Amino acid sequence: MDSIDGKTLMSMEIPPLCYCIEPILPHGLFVLAGPPKAGKSWLVQQISYAVATGYGLWEFPSVKGDVLYMALEDTYARLQSRFEHYGSIDGMEHIHFVLRSKTINDGLIQQICEFIAAHSETQLVVIDTMQHIRSNVNDKNMYAADYETMNRFREIIERYRVTIILVTHTRKMEDNDPVNMITGSTGISGGSDGMWVLLREKRTENSATLTISNRDTPSFEFSLTFDDTFCYWLKNERQAPALRQEDHLISALLALLAENQHWQGTSSKLLEELAAFSPELQMTPATLSKKLRSIGPSLHQQHGIIFNSGYSGKEKIIKLDIVIPA
């Protein structure tokens, strides 16, 4: 076995978490589940359009890039009809549609890797639905087969910085935790980086709840309404504990760096000084350090704040600088 000691681990410069749609959809392997005809395809089409155009999803910004959309239950006529509802073809050249593919055990991983290699700006891969790319599975070995399927997709995640969404169904059996309703064994949830579950309140109504349980981000629960005219999901209310905290953090950072364009110290000291600018900021020093790493790229791009960290002796030191426009 290869091992590293804890001191080496803590001094490693590990790239921060990157996002396809921030903060709800990082790079990684995700499952989107819901009952038949619940609107899952409409949602992944909306996500695909958000990434291809760079317009974002609801109020969340997206990283513009290419999308591989494997619509394995659709036809070109149906796809054309669905995307016509968006009223613009701007950015549609970045969505690449596939109606047929190999299975997971018959070359699918290689097909996807070849596509990403040929389209270096790929941000998102959608497989709608997961059942079409799987081989027949014996119920007795379902856990092993589910985990192996997820591990095969992880081969892609380990090679490329992309997001993969696997669309599947939920069981009819109700559960207090929507994630437990996803079809298949716990091998699917154990092997994924996040689970999205879309449940309509009633099949005949346009209201639904989207539950997001990700490994590396806060959890979210959104109330949605389906717009029959434009055929996309609208978010009714902003969720917000994590979002409010991020807003408070950015506001406090800008205020701190307005007084001095450079700051250096421990996460505990930083939290203490930020609290003077934003008393509503509620997080631990460890959470603050992790949050700064995750939003580091957007801090630089959107606010001119440059974040770095490293060890000085036994203490981890945070360094902050702000670029003031000329």
Side-chain angles (χ1 to χ4, degrees):
M1 295 184 293
D2 294 326
S3 68
I4 61 172
D5 63 81
K7 183 177 180 180
T8 301
L9 171 65
M10 299 309 294
S11 63
M12 290 173 64
E13 286 296 328
I14 298 175
L17 186 65
C18 293
Y19 290 87
C20 186
I21 299 175
E22 188 177 357
I24 60 175
L25 187 59
H27 285 169
L29 179 60
F30 297 85
V31 174
L32 169 62
K37 312 304 179 187
K40 302 183 298 296
S41 292
W42 286 114
L43 181 56
V44 288
Q45 286 167 183
Q46 195 172 343
I47 292 171
S48 298
Y49 188 76
V51 173
T53 60
Y55 292 163
L57 178 71
W58 303 315
E59 74 267 21
F60 306 125
S62 61
V63 176
K64 185 177 180 178
D66 287 322
V67 177
L68 174 59
Y69 191 107
M70 301 175 63
L72 305 179
E73 293 184 341
D74 284 318
T75 64
Y76 288 132
R78 183 179 301 132
L79 288 168
Q80 183 186 72
S81 174
R82 283 173 171 252
F83 278 90
E84 279 179 343
H85 287 93
Y86 294 120
S88 173
I89 62 172
D90 288 346
M92 286 294 295
E93 67 273 17
H94 295 295
I95 307 180
H96 304 265
F97 297 99
V98 171
L99 302 187
R100 300 290 181 271
S101 74
K102 294 182 178 180
T103 65
I104 191 74
N105 295 325
D106 190 34
L108 173 65
I109 301 301
Q110 182 179 349
Q111 283 185 318
I112 295 175
C113 287
E114 288 175 351
F115 175 89
I116 297 174
H119 300 82
S120 60
E121 299 301 315
T122 300
Q123 285 289 329
L124 176 65
V125 177
V126 173
I127 299 178
D128 187 5
T129 63
M130 184 177 172
Q131 187 60 34
H132 284 270
I133 53 87
R134 304 196 66 188
S135 303
N136 292 330
V137 178
N138 187 318
D139 286 346
K140 186 177 180 180
N141 300 315
M142 183 174 288
Y143 177 85
D146 285 343
Y147 214 96
E148 174 63 19
T149 295
M150 304 306 281
N151 280 340
R152 295 301 310 278
F153 282 111
R154 298 211 70 83
E155 295 175 23
I156 303 172
I157 301 299
E158 290 169 4
R159 291 179 61 181
Y160 303 101
R161 284 194 168 192
V162 297
T163 298
I164 299 176
I165 298 178
L166 306 174
V167 181
T168 189
H169 298 294
T170 53
R171 302 185 185 95
K172 293 182 179 180
M173 184 170 56
E174 296 289 335
D175 195 288
N176 291 331
D177 184 352
V179 171
N180 292 334
M181 298 172 62
I182 296 175
T183 299
S185 72
T186 53
I188 292 178
S189 56
S192 72
D193 293 309
M195 314 291 284
W196 292 36
V197 182
L198 180 68
L199 297 175
R200 285 187 187 251
E201 295 181 9
K202 291 183 180 180
R203 185 176 294 276
T204 57
E205 294 184 359
N206 286 357
S207 55
T209 299
L210 175 64
T211 301
I212 299 176
S213 178
N214 292 342
R215 194 190 302 269
D216 296 315
T217 74
S219 296
F220 300 89
E221 185 173 282
F222 300 129
S223 172
L224 306 180
T225 298
F226 190 73
D227 187 304
D228 286 323
T229 302
F230 297 102
C231 293
Y232 53 64
W233 287 102
L234 301 170
K235 188 163 75 66
N236 297 333
E237 56 191 24
R238 182 173 179 172
Q239 157 145 8
L243 295 176
R244 280 201 298 267
Q245 285 296 300
E246 185 170 312
D247 291 341
H248 292 317
L249 172 58
I250 293 171
S251 176
L253 286 170
L254 290 170
L256 174 67
L257 294 172
E259 297 185 351
N260 189 337
Q261 295 177 24
H262 174 78
W263 188 94
Q264 180 173 319
T266 64
S267 57
S268 298
K269 181 63 175 176
L270 177 58
L271 189 62
E272 178 184 330
E273 294 193 22
L274 291 178
F277 296 102
S278 181
E280 301 88 349
L281 191 62
Q282 298 179 358
M283 56 179 66
T284 65
T287 302
L288 172 62
S289 183
K290 183 177 179 181
K291 186 65 178 174
L292 286 172
R293 286 204 320 272
S294 70
I295 67 173
S298 63
L299 280 178
H300 188 193
Q301 294 169 9
Q302 298 177 24
H303 304 285
I305 298 174
I306 301 172
F307 162 77
N308 289 291
S309 66
Y311 277 85
S312 176
K314 294 185 178 181
E315 285 190 321
K316 189 168 188 179
I317 300 299
I318 291 172
K319 296 179 181 178
L320 297 168
D321 294 275
I322 189 164
V323 178
I324 305 297

